[in-house]
Amino acid sequence: MRFLAVINYKFKEMTRDLGELMVPIIFPVVFMVTFALAFKSSKGPMGLPFFDFLTPGMVIFALLMLAVGVSGSLVSETDKGTLLRIKLSTMSSFELLSGFLIMWALVGVIQVVLLFGTGILLGFKWQGGLQGLIFAGCIASIAGIASVALGLVVASFARTEGQAGSFTTLITVPMAFVIGSFMQASSEFFSKFLPWGQAVHCLRAILNAGAPIELILPNILWMITETVILFVIGVLLYSRLRLRPE
C-alpha cells in the first residue's frame, strides 16, 4: 500500500502548484469556451450544429493533452531527485508508477466531468439521454488512461521537462487532427490503430448519432486492447530506462 504515499505526495504537489494542471485541464476548458463563442451558430457535419459535433472531439483532444502533464511531471520528479531517493528506498518501481499513474488517471476523470459539464452549460445537445452521457464518460476515461500511458512513453526518453512538453505536444496536436477531433478525418485508416481515434468514433456514434452500445462494442474492445498494450509498453520502457539502478 506504499503507492498511497505517492498518491498523497502527488496530490499535494498538484494543489500547491496549479500550473501543473494548466495544460491538461484549464487550457481545454478555455479552448472549448472559445469554440462555443465562435461557432455556436455554425452548421457542422452530420447536419448538426458545429458545437454539438465538436464537443466529443474536444473532450478527447483535452484528454490527449493530459499526456503533456504526465510526461512533464515524471521528468520533473527526476530533476528533483525523487527517483534517486526511490531507488535508494525499499519502494518498488511498480509501487512508484502505480501511485503516479493512478493520480493522473483521476485527473483524467475530472477532465471528462468538467469538459462535458462545460459543454452542457454552453448548450451542447446530445442523443441517448443520461445513460448515453455516462457511457460516453466511461469511454472517454479509457482514452484518458491511454494518454497517461503515452506520457509515460515520452517521459522514458525525455531528459528535461521542456523536452517532455515539446515532444508530447509535437505528438498530440497532429494526432488530434488525424483522429478527427475537430473535423471528420478524410481517412480513418490511421485512427483505427489509435485508442483516441476509436474513442472519438464511439463518442460521436453515441452522443451525435444515438447509436446503440452493441453497434460500437467491437470498437470499445479494440480501444481497451490498444490502451493495455500502450500501457504495458510505457511501464516497461520507463522501468528499464529511468528506474533501473545505476
Side-chain angles (χ1 to χ4, degrees):
M1 300 292 285
R2 283 175 292 189
F3 70 91
L4 293 175
V6 180
I7 294 176
N8 182 55
Y9 162 76
K10 196 60 198 170
F11 176 77
K12 291 179 179 178
E13 284 283 299
M14 287 180 172
T15 53
R16 184 162 51 240
D17 181 13
L18 295 180
E20 191 169 0
L21 300 177
M22 180 68 73
V23 171
I25 290 185
I26 301 174
F27 171 70
V29 170
V30 173
F31 206 53
M32 179 175 281
V33 172
T34 303
F35 265 78
L37 295 176
F39 299 105
K40 189 67 181 292
S41 60
S42 301
K43 285 293 183 182
M46 302 170 61
L48 297 167
F50 187 69
F51 182 67
D52 289 354
F53 172 82
L54 177 70
T55 298
M58 277 297 304
V59 170
I60 302 304
F61 169 67
L63 290 167
L64 263 174
M65 298 304 292
L66 184 66
V68 178
V70 173
S71 61
S73 175
L74 284 168
V75 175
S76 173
E77 296 303 333
T78 303
D79 292 341
K80 290 187 292 187
T82 303
L83 293 185
L84 178 60
R85 292 194 295 272
I86 292 297
K87 289 177 182 179
L88 297 175
S89 73
T90 58
M91 182 179 291
S92 67
S93 300
F94 176 79
E95 289 172 317
L96 169 67
L97 290 178
S98 295
F100 272 100
L101 300 182
I102 288 173
M103 192 62 228
W104 277 107
L106 291 175
V107 172
V109 173
I110 294 172
Q111 264 190 312
V112 171
V113 175
L114 186 60
L115 288 166
F116 273 127
T118 302
I120 292 170
L121 289 175
L122 293 171
F124 171 58
K125 295 179 177 60
W126 72 96
Q127 305 292 322
L130 182 60
Q131 181 180 3
L133 190 64
I134 292 173
F135 201 81
C138 293
I139 294 173
S141 297
I142 297 172
I145 295 174
S147 297
V148 172
L150 177 61
L152 192 59
V153 172
V154 175
S156 301
F157 299 98
R159 293 300 172 184
T160 66
E161 191 173 355
Q163 283 184 359
S166 299
F167 292 163
T168 314
T169 303
L170 190 63
I171 294 170
T172 55
V173 173
M175 191 185 296
F177 287 92
V178 170
I179 66 177
S181 285
F182 308 112
M183 292 294 293
Q184 283 181 314
S186 58
S187 172
E188 295 185 355
F189 177 78
F190 293 107
S191 65
K192 290 179 181 178
F193 299 99
L194 299 170
W196 308 276
Q198 297 287 358
V200 169
H201 173 79
C202 291
L203 260 62
R204 289 213 170 107
I206 295 172
L207 300 176
N208 292 151
I213 303 303
E214 296 78 14
L215 188 64
I216 60 170
L217 188 58
N219 301 87
I220 296 171
L221 294 176
W222 184 232
M223 177 179 65
I224 293 173
T225 301
E226 292 171 332
T227 300
V228 170
I229 292 172
L230 183 60
F231 199 87
V232 170
I233 291 172
V235 169
L236 290 176
L237 282 174
Y238 197 82
S239 298
R240 182 178 180 83
L241 298 178
R242 305 310 298 269
L243 294 180
R244 174 185 284 185
E246 302 292 343

PDB file of all heavy atoms in Angstrom, residues 6 11 16 31 35 60 70 75 81 121-122 140 143 152 166 170 182-184 199 225 238:
ATOM      1  N   VAL A   6       2.651   7.818  -2.516  1.00  0.00           N
ATOM      2  CA  VAL A   6       2.972   8.524  -3.756  1.00  0.00           C
ATOM      3  C   VAL A   6       1.765   9.337  -4.214  1.00  0.00           C
ATOM      4  O   VAL A   6       1.904  10.483  -4.654  1.00  0.00           O
ATOM      5  CB  VAL A   6       3.405   7.533  -4.857  1.00  0.00           C
ATOM      6  CG1 VAL A   6       3.733   8.280  -6.150  1.00  0.00           C
ATOM      7  CG2 VAL A   6       4.600   6.718  -4.401  1.00  0.00           C
ATOM      8  N   PHE A  11      -0.734  14.499  -4.991  1.00  0.00           N
ATOM      9  CA  PHE A  11      -1.897  15.355  -4.770  1.00  0.00           C
ATOM     10  C   PHE A  11      -1.477  16.689  -4.156  1.00  0.00           C
ATOM     11  O   PHE A  11      -1.937  17.758  -4.573  1.00  0.00           O
ATOM     12  CB  PHE A  11      -2.902  14.648  -3.856  1.00  0.00           C
ATOM     13  CG  PHE A  11      -4.093  15.494  -3.486  1.00  0.00           C
ATOM     14  CD1 PHE A  11      -5.122  15.704  -4.391  1.00  0.00           C
ATOM     15  CD2 PHE A  11      -4.170  16.100  -2.231  1.00  0.00           C
ATOM     16  CE1 PHE A  11      -6.209  16.486  -4.068  1.00  0.00           C
ATOM     17  CE2 PHE A  11      -5.259  16.882  -1.898  1.00  0.00           C
ATOM     18  CZ  PHE A  11      -6.282  17.078  -2.816  1.00  0.00           C
ATOM     19  N   ARG A  16      -0.521  22.430  -4.721  1.00  0.00           N
ATOM     20  CA  ARG A  16       0.394  23.516  -4.371  1.00  0.00           C
ATOM     21  C   ARG A  16       0.813  24.300  -5.611  1.00  0.00           C
ATOM     22  O   ARG A  16       0.991  25.508  -5.566  1.00  0.00           O
ATOM     23  CB  ARG A  16       1.625  22.947  -3.655  1.00  0.00           C
ATOM     24  CG  ARG A  16       2.591  24.022  -3.170  1.00  0.00           C
ATOM     25  CD  ARG A  16       3.531  23.508  -2.129  1.00  0.00           C
ATOM     26  NE  ARG A  16       4.197  22.291  -2.547  1.00  0.00           N
ATOM     27  CZ  ARG A  16       4.100  21.127  -1.885  1.00  0.00           C
ATOM     28  NH1 ARG A  16       3.352  21.041  -0.805  1.00  0.00           N
ATOM     29  NH2 ARG A  16       4.745  20.051  -2.305  1.00  0.00           N
ATOM     30  N   PHE A  31     -10.361  26.572 -24.343  1.00  0.00           N
ATOM     31  CA  PHE A  31     -10.460  26.259 -25.770  1.00  0.00           C
ATOM     32  C   PHE A  31     -11.911  25.956 -26.152  1.00  0.00           C
ATOM     33  O   PHE A  31     -12.409  26.414 -27.182  1.00  0.00           O
ATOM     34  CB  PHE A  31      -9.557  25.058 -26.064  1.00  0.00           C
ATOM     35  CG  PHE A  31      -9.065  24.996 -27.475  1.00  0.00           C
ATOM     36  CD1 PHE A  31      -8.424  26.085 -28.050  1.00  0.00           C
ATOM     37  CD2 PHE A  31      -9.209  23.847 -28.234  1.00  0.00           C
ATOM     38  CE1 PHE A  31      -7.948  26.035 -29.354  1.00  0.00           C
ATOM     39  CE2 PHE A  31      -8.747  23.783 -29.530  1.00  0.00           C
ATOM     40  CZ  PHE A  31      -8.115  24.883 -30.092  1.00  0.00           C
ATOM     41  N   PHE A  35     -14.362  28.043 -28.758  1.00  0.00           N
ATOM     42  CA  PHE A  35     -15.022  27.440 -29.907  1.00  0.00           C
ATOM     43  C   PHE A  35     -16.536  27.622 -29.830  1.00  0.00           C
ATOM     44  O   PHE A  35     -17.195  27.834 -30.859  1.00  0.00           O
ATOM     45  CB  PHE A  35     -14.681  25.949 -29.988  1.00  0.00           C
ATOM     46  CG  PHE A  35     -13.533  25.642 -30.898  1.00  0.00           C
ATOM     47  CD1 PHE A  35     -12.229  25.868 -30.485  1.00  0.00           C
ATOM     48  CD2 PHE A  35     -13.739  25.150 -32.166  1.00  0.00           C
ATOM     49  CE1 PHE A  35     -11.157  25.589 -31.320  1.00  0.00           C
ATOM     50  CE2 PHE A  35     -12.680  24.871 -33.014  1.00  0.00           C
ATOM     51  CZ  PHE A  35     -11.381  25.092 -32.596  1.00  0.00           C
ATOM     52  N   ILE A  60     -11.842  14.428 -26.224  1.00  0.00           N
ATOM     53  CA  ILE A  60     -10.710  13.541 -26.488  1.00  0.00           C
ATOM     54  C   ILE A  60      -9.432  14.343 -26.700  1.00  0.00           C
ATOM     55  O   ILE A  60      -8.346  13.932 -26.264  1.00  0.00           O
ATOM     56  CB  ILE A  60     -11.001  12.643 -27.705  1.00  0.00           C
ATOM     57  CG1 ILE A  60     -12.265  11.813 -27.458  1.00  0.00           C
ATOM     58  CG2 ILE A  60      -9.811  11.730 -27.987  1.00  0.00           C
ATOM     59  CD1 ILE A  60     -12.219  10.964 -26.197  1.00  0.00           C
ATOM     60  N   VAL A  70       1.531  14.543 -17.796  1.00  0.00           N
ATOM     61  CA  VAL A  70       2.123  13.319 -17.252  1.00  0.00           C
ATOM     62  C   VAL A  70       3.625  13.265 -17.546  1.00  0.00           C
ATOM     63  O   VAL A  70       4.441  13.026 -16.645  1.00  0.00           O
ATOM     64  CB  VAL A  70       1.426  12.075 -17.839  1.00  0.00           C
ATOM     65  CG1 VAL A  70       2.148  10.805 -17.399  1.00  0.00           C
ATOM     66  CG2 VAL A  70      -0.023  12.029 -17.385  1.00  0.00           C
ATOM     67  N   VAL A  75       9.270  13.690 -15.607  1.00  0.00           N
ATOM     68  CA  VAL A  75      10.636  14.188 -15.824  1.00  0.00           C
ATOM     69  C   VAL A  75      11.016  15.175 -14.726  1.00  0.00           C
ATOM     70  O   VAL A  75      12.165  15.202 -14.262  1.00  0.00           O
ATOM     71  CB  VAL A  75      10.755  14.838 -17.214  1.00  0.00           C
ATOM     72  CG1 VAL A  75      12.128  15.476 -17.394  1.00  0.00           C
ATOM     73  CG2 VAL A  75      10.524  13.798 -18.304  1.00  0.00           C
ATOM     74  N   GLY A  81      15.205  14.816  -8.072  1.00  0.00           N
ATOM     75  CA  GLY A  81      15.867  13.745  -7.322  1.00  0.00           C
ATOM     76  C   GLY A  81      14.926  12.761  -6.676  1.00  0.00           C
ATOM     77  O   GLY A  81      15.364  11.892  -5.917  1.00  0.00           O
ATOM     78  N   LEU A 121     -23.284  23.316 -20.250  1.00  0.00           N
ATOM     79  CA  LEU A 121     -23.586  24.701 -19.861  1.00  0.00           C
ATOM     80  C   LEU A 121     -23.560  25.638 -21.071  1.00  0.00           C
ATOM     81  O   LEU A 121     -24.279  26.644 -21.106  1.00  0.00           O
ATOM     82  CB  LEU A 121     -22.581  25.179 -18.813  1.00  0.00           C
ATOM     83  CG  LEU A 121     -22.707  24.560 -17.419  1.00  0.00           C
ATOM     84  CD1 LEU A 121     -21.577  25.045 -16.526  1.00  0.00           C
ATOM     85  CD2 LEU A 121     -24.062  24.908 -16.789  1.00  0.00           C
ATOM     86  N   LEU A 122     -22.741  25.301 -22.065  1.00  0.00           N
ATOM     87  CA  LEU A 122     -22.626  26.137 -23.259  1.00  0.00           C
ATOM     88  C   LEU A 122     -23.646  25.771 -24.338  1.00  0.00           C
ATOM     89  O   LEU A 122     -23.642  26.357 -25.419  1.00  0.00           O
ATOM     90  CB  LEU A 122     -21.215  26.025 -23.832  1.00  0.00           C
ATOM     91  CG  LEU A 122     -20.097  26.617 -22.966  1.00  0.00           C
ATOM     92  CD1 LEU A 122     -18.726  26.255 -23.530  1.00  0.00           C
ATOM     93  CD2 LEU A 122     -20.238  28.137 -22.868  1.00  0.00           C
ATOM     94  N   ALA A 140     -14.504   7.864 -22.560  1.00  0.00           N
ATOM     95  CA  ALA A 140     -13.511   8.945 -22.523  1.00  0.00           C
ATOM     96  C   ALA A 140     -12.475   8.695 -21.430  1.00  0.00           C
ATOM     97  O   ALA A 140     -11.290   9.011 -21.608  1.00  0.00           O
ATOM     98  CB  ALA A 140     -14.218  10.281 -22.300  1.00  0.00           C
ATOM     99  N   ALA A 143      -9.806   6.559 -22.709  1.00  0.00           N
ATOM    100  CA  ALA A 143      -8.892   7.357 -23.535  1.00  0.00           C
ATOM    101  C   ALA A 143      -7.925   8.149 -22.656  1.00  0.00           C
ATOM    102  O   ALA A 143      -6.764   8.357 -23.030  1.00  0.00           O
ATOM    103  CB  ALA A 143      -9.690   8.301 -24.434  1.00  0.00           C
ATOM    104  N   LEU A 152       3.861   8.425 -20.264  1.00  0.00           N
ATOM    105  CA  LEU A 152       4.878   7.549 -19.674  1.00  0.00           C
ATOM    106  C   LEU A 152       5.933   7.171 -20.715  1.00  0.00           C
ATOM    107  O   LEU A 152       7.137   7.150 -20.424  1.00  0.00           O
ATOM    108  CB  LEU A 152       4.196   6.303 -19.119  1.00  0.00           C
ATOM    109  CG  LEU A 152       4.993   5.369 -18.203  1.00  0.00           C
ATOM    110  CD1 LEU A 152       5.496   6.114 -16.978  1.00  0.00           C
ATOM    111  CD2 LEU A 152       4.106   4.196 -17.790  1.00  0.00           C
ATOM    112  N   SER A 166       7.627  19.544 -25.080  1.00  0.00           N
ATOM    113  CA  SER A 166       7.742  19.769 -26.525  1.00  0.00           C
ATOM    114  C   SER A 166       7.476  18.496 -27.313  1.00  0.00           C
ATOM    115  O   SER A 166       6.724  18.511 -28.298  1.00  0.00           O
ATOM    116  CB  SER A 166       9.143  20.300 -26.865  1.00  0.00           C
ATOM    117  OG  SER A 166       9.387  21.532 -26.227  1.00  0.00           O
ATOM    118  N   LEU A 170       4.263  17.842 -29.745  1.00  0.00           N
ATOM    119  CA  LEU A 170       4.548  17.525 -31.144  1.00  0.00           C
ATOM    120  C   LEU A 170       3.822  16.254 -31.586  1.00  0.00           C
ATOM    121  O   LEU A 170       3.476  16.102 -32.762  1.00  0.00           O
ATOM    122  CB  LEU A 170       6.059  17.351 -31.333  1.00  0.00           C
ATOM    123  CG  LEU A 170       6.580  17.251 -32.769  1.00  0.00           C
ATOM    124  CD1 LEU A 170       6.287  18.537 -33.531  1.00  0.00           C
ATOM    125  CD2 LEU A 170       8.076  16.967 -32.771  1.00  0.00           C
ATOM    126  N   PHE A 182     -11.419  17.660 -34.434  1.00  0.00           N
ATOM    127  CA  PHE A 182     -12.035  18.942 -34.786  1.00  0.00           C
ATOM    128  C   PHE A 182     -12.944  18.847 -36.014  1.00  0.00           C
ATOM    129  O   PHE A 182     -13.957  19.526 -36.097  1.00  0.00           O
ATOM    130  CB  PHE A 182     -10.948  19.991 -35.030  1.00  0.00           C
ATOM    131  CG  PHE A 182      -9.961  20.091 -33.905  1.00  0.00           C
ATOM    132  CD1 PHE A 182      -8.646  19.687 -34.061  1.00  0.00           C
ATOM    133  CD2 PHE A 182     -10.357  20.572 -32.663  1.00  0.00           C
ATOM    134  CE1 PHE A 182      -7.738  19.771 -33.013  1.00  0.00           C
ATOM    135  CE2 PHE A 182      -9.455  20.655 -31.613  1.00  0.00           C
ATOM    136  CZ  PHE A 182      -8.149  20.255 -31.781  1.00  0.00           C
ATOM    137  N   MET A 183     -12.556  18.020 -36.966  1.00  0.00           N
ATOM    138  CA  MET A 183     -13.349  17.808 -38.170  1.00  0.00           C
ATOM    139  C   MET A 183     -13.253  16.337 -38.541  1.00  0.00           C
ATOM    140  O   MET A 183     -12.331  15.636 -38.118  1.00  0.00           O
ATOM    141  CB  MET A 183     -12.837  18.673 -39.335  1.00  0.00           C
ATOM    142  CG  MET A 183     -13.044  20.162 -39.145  1.00  0.00           C
ATOM    143  SD  MET A 183     -14.790  20.656 -39.137  1.00  0.00           S
ATOM    144  CE  MET A 183     -15.261  20.308 -40.829  1.00  0.00           C
ATOM    145  N   GLN A 184     -14.206  15.874 -39.336  1.00  0.00           N
ATOM    146  CA  GLN A 184     -14.140  14.491 -39.772  1.00  0.00           C
ATOM    147  C   GLN A 184     -12.885  14.262 -40.613  1.00  0.00           C
ATOM    148  O   GLN A 184     -12.620  15.012 -41.553  1.00  0.00           O
ATOM    149  CB  GLN A 184     -15.383  14.134 -40.601  1.00  0.00           C
ATOM    150  CG  GLN A 184     -16.633  13.901 -39.759  1.00  0.00           C
ATOM    151  CD  GLN A 184     -17.826  13.521 -40.607  1.00  0.00           C
ATOM    152  OE1 GLN A 184     -18.090  14.151 -41.623  1.00  0.00           O
ATOM    153  NE2 GLN A 184     -18.556  12.507 -40.185  1.00  0.00           N
ATOM    154  N   ALA A 199     -11.997   6.245 -29.623  1.00  0.00           N
ATOM    155  CA  ALA A 199     -12.810   6.985 -28.652  1.00  0.00           C
ATOM    156  C   ALA A 199     -13.646   8.071 -29.332  1.00  0.00           C
ATOM    157  O   ALA A 199     -14.829   8.244 -29.019  1.00  0.00           O
ATOM    158  CB  ALA A 199     -11.911   7.601 -27.582  1.00  0.00           C
ATOM    159  N   THR A 225      -7.975  -2.839 -25.756  1.00  0.00           N
ATOM    160  CA  THR A 225      -6.795  -3.634 -26.092  1.00  0.00           C
ATOM    161  C   THR A 225      -5.607  -2.735 -26.428  1.00  0.00           C
ATOM    162  O   THR A 225      -4.479  -2.947 -25.943  1.00  0.00           O
ATOM    163  CB  THR A 225      -7.094  -4.566 -27.284  1.00  0.00           C
ATOM    164  OG1 THR A 225      -8.182  -5.431 -26.955  1.00  0.00           O
ATOM    165  CG2 THR A 225      -5.865  -5.400 -27.641  1.00  0.00           C
ATOM    166  N   TYR A 238       9.712   2.819 -19.133  1.00  0.00           N
ATOM    167  CA  TYR A 238      10.087   3.718 -18.043  1.00  0.00           C
ATOM    168  C   TYR A 238      10.867   2.976 -16.963  1.00  0.00           C
ATOM    169  O   TYR A 238      11.844   3.497 -16.420  1.00  0.00           O
ATOM    170  CB  TYR A 238       8.834   4.370 -17.450  1.00  0.00           C
ATOM    171  CG  TYR A 238       9.149   5.576 -16.618  1.00  0.00           C
ATOM    172  CD1 TYR A 238       9.368   6.815 -17.207  1.00  0.00           C
ATOM    173  CD2 TYR A 238       9.241   5.485 -15.228  1.00  0.00           C
ATOM    174  CE1 TYR A 238       9.672   7.924 -16.447  1.00  0.00           C
ATOM    175  CE2 TYR A 238       9.544   6.590 -14.462  1.00  0.00           C
ATOM    176  CZ  TYR A 238       9.758   7.808 -15.073  1.00  0.00           C
ATOM    177  OH  TYR A 238      10.069   8.905 -14.321  1.00  0.00           O
TER     178      TYR A 238
END
